[in-house]
Amino acid sequence: MKHFMRLLPFSLILLLAGCGMENLSALDPRGPVAEMQFDLIMLSTYVMIFVMVVVFSIYIYVLLRFRERPGDTHIPEQVHGNRALEFIWTTIPILLLLILAIPNVMDTFTLADTSAPTEGEGVEEEEEDVLNVEVHAHQFWWEFIYPDHDINAGQEMYIPTDTRVNVELHASDVIHSFWVPALAGKMDNVPGIENEMWFEAPDEGVYFGKCTEICGASHWLMDFKVIAVDEGTFSVWAENMAEPDPEIVEGEGEVAAQGREVFEGNCINCHAVGDEGGAQGPNMTNYGEREVVAGFLDYTEENLYDWIRDPDALKPDNEMPGFDESAISDDEMDALIEYIGQQRVLD
Ligand SMILES: [Cu+2]
């Protein structure tokens, strides 16, 4: 108990620090889906405040008005049934439930509609504006497949701004849950089931995402990013992700070329660059552009080194095996890290 009390302020700080994380709040909605959901949250909050104010006011009034006074000798008159009152407290809740239900049901249909928008005259044009992404959740990382662009991306989901993104959710092992609070409410990734949702980001920026279904020892480290960029940048990203520059893939310079050999000898069965390589682990095509290693460590050479040597120490129960010095020497590791850092698609 003593320890618990000592740790309490510390855990509160951690808890509150989480609240301030940029773009990780459903109460700071961006885009039509998150805004619709935020409006529903506010509507129910207002209804609840109204109910509380009315109930507490009546309660306090009754406490004061009918309290026992000096000289009271008998209990007040006991009444049973009052048609007017019964009518009022049946009707008001029905009205309140209708006020909650109508927009909720309407928005639920709008949010569940993942067909391409068909309004307006330029139907074909609008259909092109939809981006389809399959989100495959794994222990403990995210895979984003763009079926129309022949892209497989790991950990970072690039999207163009002002474009409707239709998302299909899958899971390869256990149940996970896809949540990008600033853009849309969460939805589960369930093995064997295809769940669908959509969202749209009006502004460029990085939107943080988290797995919100406890899925194993490293569930809490299962972070990802949705990165919204202008349409031009997205096209460059998409083209280079589908077909990265062969020179970069082979490794530019002697060191990186050696790194490519290390990559081919140890990594390529599970990790791909472009479409060459396995899909057991995240695709590495734009790895050099990431800000984090393994989804949560700052991108530094030391962290990358530690991660490859012993992934389990950093992210318990993940699927990646460790590579000690008998598998990859320190020199080879330098070359590999150089090679990985070169894998960029935007510059
Ligand atoms: Cu999880």
Side-chain angles (χ1 to χ4, degrees):
M1 191 62 193
K2 210 170 84 186
H3 288 293
F4 174 74
M5 292 312 287
R6 217 178 272 167
L7 281 174
L8 190 64
F10 179 64
S11 27
L12 277 179
I13 288 169
L14 283 183
L15 191 72
L16 293 173
C19 300
M21 195 164 168
E22 196 192 352
N23 282 353
L24 195 59
S25 171
L27 302 179
D28 182 15
R30 315 285 175 87
V33 169
E35 273 160 18
M36 225 183 285
Q37 291 165 339
F38 178 76
D39 289 346
L40 291 178
I41 294 173
M42 291 318 292
L43 176 67
S44 50
T45 307
Y46 292 138
V47 168
M48 282 186 283
I49 290 173
F50 170 75
V51 170
M52 270 181 62
V53 167
V54 170
V55 169
F56 276 83
S57 304
I58 294 174
Y59 176 66
I60 291 165
Y61 169 78
V62 170
L63 273 186
L64 298 175
R65 172 77 176 75
F66 299 106
R67 72 186 192 279
E68 188 182 14
R69 293 186 168 77
D72 277 355
T73 50
H74 56 274
I75 55 168
E77 183 196 351
Q78 301 296 296
V79 291
H80 176 76
N82 179 319
R83 209 163 275 184
L85 281 177
E86 299 275 2
F87 181 77
I88 289 169
W89 63 53
T90 308
T91 311
I92 291 178
I94 288 175
L95 286 177
L96 290 179
L97 287 177
L98 281 175
I99 289 171
L100 286 174
I102 291 170
N104 259 291
V105 171
M106 283 169 62
D107 285 356
T108 299
F109 279 101
T110 310
L111 292 169
D113 180 13
T114 47
S115 62
T118 48
E119 297 156 72
E121 287 175 8
V123 175
E124 278 173 38
E125 209 176 293
E126 282 183 35
E127 274 178 358
E128 272 175 26
D129 275 338
V130 176
L131 175 70
N132 295 304
V133 185
E134 289 174 20
V135 175
H136 295 256
H138 307 267
Q139 281 172 318
F140 301 94
W141 61 283
W142 298 88
E143 181 182 23
F144 303 107
I145 293 176
Y146 297 64
D148 307 327
H149 295 77
D150 199 19
I151 293 173
N152 179 317
Q155 301 288 56
E156 290 179 347
M157 176 175 173
Y158 275 75
I159 58 168
T161 51
D162 285 326
T163 302
R164 186 187 165 105
V165 184
N166 280 349
V167 174
E168 206 180 271
L169 299 165
H170 303 261
S172 66
D173 32 47
V174 298
I175 300 177
H176 303 268
S177 192
F178 177 85
W179 193 30
V180 193
L183 294 178
K186 61 185 82 166
M187 192 175 271
D188 281 359
N189 298 62
V190 184
I193 291 177
E194 274 173 29
N195 280 334
E196 289 180 345
M197 63 186 280
W198 66 277
F199 56 80
E200 210 176 296
D203 307 312
E204 286 175 39
V206 178
Y207 300 88
F208 289 96
K210 280 195 160 290
C211 176
T212 49
E213 182 69 56
I214 193 154
C215 57
S218 290
H219 155 67
W220 65 297
L221 299 172
M222 204 172 148
D223 296 354
F224 64 96
K225 287 174 186 159
V226 173
I227 301 177
V229 292
D230 64 84
E231 220 155 293
T233 309
F234 180 77
S235 314
V236 175
W237 179 85
E239 259 168 52
N240 289 335
M241 281 299 284
E243 238 173 286
D245 181 347
E247 275 181 37
I248 298 179
V249 172
E250 287 310 313
E252 278 182 320
E254 211 180 301
V255 181
Q258 194 207 340
R260 169 71 190 183
E261 279 171 31
V262 180
F263 186 81
E264 282 174 6
N266 297 279
C267 319
I268 206 161
N269 281 340
C270 299
H271 294 279
V273 172
D275 55 7
E276 194 194 336
Q280 289 277 99
N283 187 294
M284 310 282 286
T285 312
N286 65 340
Y287 203 93
E289 270 152 0
R290 297 202 193 151
E291 284 167 16
V292 288
V293 171
F296 69 102
L297 295 162
D298 284 343
Y299 191 118
T300 63
E301 293 189 356
E302 296 75 49
N303 280 341
L304 199 45
Y305 178 96
D306 292 344
W307 170 252
I308 298 168
R309 281 271 183 259
D310 191 1
D312 204 59
L314 297 166
K315 208 174 190 179
D317 280 2
N318 87 86
E319 297 285 318
M320 176 159 152
F323 294 83
D324 62 15
E325 280 176 58
S326 65
I328 301 178
S329 73
D330 269 355
D331 283 347
E332 288 174 326
M333 192 70 107
D334 287 344
L336 178 61
I337 289 171
E338 165 72 22
Y339 172 72
I340 290 172
Q342 277 188 2
Q343 302 314 309
R344 309 173 76 90
V345 297
L346 282 179
D347 54 27

